[in-house]
Amino acid sequence: MTARYRMHEHATREALAAELAGDIVQVLLNAIGSRGEALLAVSGGKTPKLLFQTLAREDVDWRRVTVTLVDERFVPPSSPRSNESFIRRNLLRDEAAEAGFAGLYRPAATVEMAAEMADEALSALPFPADYVVLGMGSDGHTASFFPDAVDLGRLLDAHSPHYVLPVHAASAGEDRLTLPLSRILSARNVALHIEGEEKKETLARALASDDANIMPVRAVLADAPVEIHWAP
Ligand code: 6PG
């Protein structure tokens, strides 16, 4: 399986945040210039905090930008595990306070019901996304494509018409909501943002593997031209 990616190794996490934020801004400005609006899908987890704080200070007409999530834990925004509250604290502030936001969490009885509601809401957004920023876990997952996810094949269907799907994976800690692979592959730009030696090793394992069921991040690297940004 061939991989399509470009590797950007940065000396520091600050340098990474500055360069990746600069790339995202250029794409948002071009999208606003040509279509009057832009759609940015971002990941949660811990890694992107500095990137988001850097991006939030950038001079963009944020009222024309909608921010959505690549994936979400099935927990309310009051939970410390909520990606939505992480984004609100670190990205939807400063200049970017005026951006629109479409979260994935819904206070429904089941993650399936929440996914259906979020799917309908996201179908009104201007997909394809202009920029998708992915993270990666040291098990090789990206978005909520966990190696042990029930029906991983449905999440990794490159032609899925869905916007949001429910995820059950024992290793994830809680149920999840995720964009399917199709919404990532169809994005105009995709970056994978990873930091530290452990994730560099995981990336090497993923690139050496040809099985997306074992290293799900491989499904993105196999198809989309991905800009990989890494710092120690
Ligand atoms: C999440 C994610 C997930 C994340 C990776 C890396 O909700 O957990 O969006 O895909 O990007 O797990 O997480 P860290 O940055 O915390 O290592």
Side-chain angles (χ1 to χ4, degrees):
M1 206 192 281
T2 54
R4 299 170 66 203
Y5 66 93
R6 233 176 4 193
M7 188 76 191
H8 307 261
E9 293 205 8
H10 304 270
T12 63
R13 295 180 178 195
E14 289 72 20
L16 186 162
E19 189 177 316
L20 183 50
D23 280 2
I24 295 170
V25 167
Q26 279 315 311
V27 168
L28 297 180
L29 293 176
N30 289 342
I32 293 169
S34 57
R35 290 187 305 282
E37 62 182 350
L39 179 60
L40 169 64
V42 294
S43 297
K46 296 192 180 71
T47 307
K49 186 171 175 178
L50 182 61
L51 170 69
F52 292 163
Q53 292 179 354
T54 306
L55 190 55
R57 292 193 294 270
E58 295 281 352
D59 188 15
V60 171
D61 186 354
W62 286 101
R63 289 165 305 175
R64 295 177 180 273
V65 178
T66 301
V67 176
T68 190
L69 286 166
V70 169
D71 67 329
E72 177 62 288
R73 293 97 186 255
F74 187 46
V75 296
S78 57
S79 163
R81 300 264 312 148
S82 164
N83 284 339
E84 175 172 336
S85 68
F86 175 72
I87 301 301
R88 289 191 186 281
R89 282 197 313 278
N90 294 292
L91 178 55
L92 303 175
R93 55 187 260 178
D94 303 323
E95 300 298 318
E98 290 190 309
F101 178 70
L104 305 187
Y105 174 77
R106 298 291 184 281
T110 65
V111 69
E112 280 74 20
M113 288 162 68
E116 262 179 48
M117 289 179 218
D119 186 82
E120 194 180 331
L122 263 69
S123 71
L125 299 187
F127 278 96
D130 293 289
Y131 216 116
V132 168
V133 184
L134 298 171
M136 183 185 73
S138 38
D139 59 353
H141 84 264
T142 191
S144 280
F145 309 150
F146 289 87
D148 63 341
V150 175
D151 208 355
L152 180 59
R154 184 174 185 228
L155 310 180
L156 296 184
D157 173 4
H159 305 290
S160 172
H162 296 285
Y163 294 87
V164 182
L165 288 173
V167 182
H168 301 278
S171 66
E174 64 277 288
D175 289 340
R176 302 266 181 140
L177 298 145
T178 192
L179 304 190
L181 178 67
S182 59
R183 298 292 160 196
I184 295 170
L185 297 184
S186 60
R188 295 186 167 95
N189 299 273
V190 181
L192 176 63
H193 173 192
I194 51 174
E195 297 181 345
E197 290 304 326
E198 190 185 358
K199 291 203 180 169
K200 197 177 196 181
E201 283 161 24
T202 305
L203 178 67
R205 275 193 288 127
L207 290 171
S209 156
D210 59 0
D211 193 344
N213 289 308
I214 297 172
M215 300 296 281
V217 69
R218 199 67 181 84
V220 180
L221 296 172
D223 265 306
V226 181
E227 304 293 329
I228 304 178
H229 289 264
W230 177 85

